[in-house]
């Protein structure tokens, strides 16, 4: 997968705890099953009112831990928990670049990934767009001899992105995740506070349907699509 061998490394940067599972849980499970080390950096988490419910940092941290365990993720962290920056990452881009580039637990410096997964550039939510821009800046190839630069950078979508937007760029990379739906479902079910009943895009039924649609493009049962921002052998 992605020209990776067992023992190679991948880093997933998620704007919030749950985006790693909503966006690419099947691919994460496939990678870890192949012997690739996957680390996850979730950027921001706040307690308080949220669209469709209430966010509690303690509960959501436990959900994140359980989901990462279900997917075989190694290093995982939520960087900004009830931090003032968590409420609006878009106005803290320099800090966000630094976090992705050199954070202490899961980052380019700490994880040294061969593949970096970011939210797609044309994501629906502005904080997802900010994480994409910061991640792409952190992974820039300039001065690569002084820091780690991944050879592949890919963009993933969340359920709302797939439901609400016509992507501005194509998603030509499609990963067959048919055998990994049980692991993806288990990870998604860890996020009881974040899933919604059908027909909401963030329901198990609609996520499965989206994966079926992606799978139809390559003649398989289920799949996940990715935008390509860099891919080198």
């Amino acid at each position: 997968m992605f020209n990776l061998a067992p023992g190679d490394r991948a880093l997933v940067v998620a704007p919030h705890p749950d985006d790693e599972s909503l966006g690419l849980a099947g691919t994460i499970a496939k990678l870890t099953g192949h012997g690739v080390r996957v680390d996850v950096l979730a950027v921001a988490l706040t307690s308080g009112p949220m669209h469709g419910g209430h966010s509690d940092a303690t509960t959501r941290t436990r959900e994140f831990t359980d989901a990462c365990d279900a997917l075989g993720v190694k290093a995982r962290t939520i960087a900004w928990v009830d931090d003032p920056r968590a409420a609006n990452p878009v106005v803290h881009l320099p800090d966000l670049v630094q976090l992705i580039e050199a954070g202490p637990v899961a980052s380019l410096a700490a994880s040294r990934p061969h593949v970096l997964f970011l939210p797609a550039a044309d994501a629906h939510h502005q904080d997802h767009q900010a994480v994409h821009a910061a991640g792409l800046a952190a992974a820039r190839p300039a001065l690569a001899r002084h820091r780690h630069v991944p050879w592949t950078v890919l963009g993933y979508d969340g359920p709302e992105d797939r439901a609400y937007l016509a992507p501005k760029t194509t998603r030509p990379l499609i990963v067959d995740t048919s055998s990994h739906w049980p692991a993806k479902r288990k990870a998604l079910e860890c996020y009881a506070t974040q899933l919604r009943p059908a027909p909401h895009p963030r329901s198990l039924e609609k996520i499965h349907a989206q994966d079926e649609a992606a799978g139809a493009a390559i003649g398989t049962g289920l799949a996940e699509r990715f935008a390509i921002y860099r891919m080198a052998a």
Side-chain angles (χ1 to χ4, degrees), residues 1-10 35-38 112-114 151:
M1 293 182 63
F2 310 116
N3 203 33
L4 297 177
D8 286 343
R9 300 171 300 280
V36 174
R37 177 187 171 114
V38 179
R112 302 189 65 79
H114 300 87
W151 65 45

Side-chain angles (χ1 to χ4, degrees), residues 13 96-97 100 108 116 118 130-140 153:
V13 182
L96 194 48
V97 173
I100 297 169
L108 294 177
L116 173 65
L118 300 170
V131 170
H132 170 85
L136 211 58
R140 63 199 182 281
V153 181

Side-chain angles (χ1 to χ4, degrees), residues 34-172:
H34 186 58
V36 174
R37 177 187 171 114
V38 179
D39 296 343
V40 175
L41 166 63
V43 172
L45 172 58
T46 58
S47 300
M50 61 178 290
H51 183 71
H54 184 86
S55 178
D56 174 74
T58 300
T59 299
R60 294 189 64 187
T61 298
R62 183 176 65 249
E63 292 177 336
F64 175 67
T65 298
D66 291 346
C68 286
D69 286 345
L71 296 174
V73 169
K74 295 298 184 183
R76 76 287 295 264
T77 190
I78 307 172
W80 296 344
V81 179
D82 288 331
D83 181 301
R85 295 170 293 184
N88 195 6
V90 71
V91 301
H92 298 285
L93 282 177
D95 289 348
L96 194 48
V97 173
Q98 178 65 19
L99 174 66
I100 297 169
E101 185 175 309
V105 178
S107 67
L108 294 177
S111 302
R112 302 189 65 79
H114 300 87
V115 178
L116 173 65
F117 294 94
L118 300 170
D122 46 3
H124 176 66
H125 300 288
Q126 67 174 9
D127 44 1
H128 291 220
Q129 296 172 20
V131 170
H132 170 85
L136 211 58
R140 63 199 182 281
L143 299 177
R145 66 185 181 277
H146 297 306
R147 55 188 177 77
H148 182 77
V149 176
W151 65 45
T152 298
V153 181
L154 304 174
Y156 63 88
D157 295 310
E160 286 96 342
D161 301 325
R162 294 186 286 266
Y164 299 156
L165 299 176
K168 297 176 183 177
T169 58
T170 60
R171 307 291 193 260

